Amino acid sequence: QVQLVESGGGLVQAGGSLRLSCAAAGRTVSTYAMGWFRQAPGKERELVAAVSWSVGITYASDSVKGRFTISRDNAKSTVHLQMHSLKPEETAVYYCNTLKGITTVQRTPAGSWGRGTQVTVSS
């Protein structure tokens, strides 16, 4: 089973940037679509970005489009989320997970959750 470890979170001022990383252990994720999710206090977990297993197909939710970029390095079995122009309301725990696929109906989590990485955006 794939174990996913998120890192790169921290405290940043509004308008700042962070780069999150997700490292897979135990099994390669190179043949899985991957996604970044976030869960703010009192809210449901939501998908913010996804990338297909092969290069070229990405998805970003409307709320982060143009500011967040997802990328992957299959050779290193890692996935990254570059975040710019962060807003206080984006304070949340960010998680990565494998997805069932990259199409709209497939963009649901397919694996176990890691601990996530906390992102705190101060105003």
Side-chain angles (χ1 to χ4, degrees):
Q1 188 170 353
V2 176
Q3 293 178 320
L4 300 169
V5 179
E6 302 90 346
S7 62
L11 175 63
V12 63
Q13 289 186 332
S17 300
L18 281 174
R19 185 173 186 252
L20 306 183
S21 296
C22 170
R27 185 177 174 182
T28 181
V29 294
S30 62
T31 59
Y32 290 92
M34 296 293 296
W36 278 98
F37 297 77
R38 66 187 178 192
Q39 186 167 22
K43 295 189 177 181
E44 292 187 357
R45 197 169 302 186
E46 62 172 342
L47 176 69
V48 296
V51 60
S52 63
W53 72 269
S54 60
V55 175
I57 302 175
T58 59
Y59 159 83
S61 67
D62 288 344
S63 62
V64 306
K65 196 170 294 182
R67 298 185 298 116
F68 290 15
T69 302
I70 189 170
S71 62
R72 68 187 299 161
D73 183 337
N74 284 339
K76 296 182 179 179
S77 217
T78 56
V79 181
H80 302 285
L81 184 68
Q82 179 67 56
M83 307 185 293
H84 294 296
S85 302
L86 284 160
K87 305 174 183 179
E89 56 265 36
E90 294 180 310
T91 293
V93 179
Y94 285 70
Y95 303 85
C96 64
N97 206 335
T98 54
L99 302 175
K100 295 179 180 178
I102 197 61
T103 64
T104 302
V105 296
Q106 292 176 318
R107 287 193 297 256
T108 56
S112 300
W113 296 103
R115 295 184 176 182
T117 186
Q118 175 71 47
V119 172
T120 303
V121 186
S122 63
S123 57

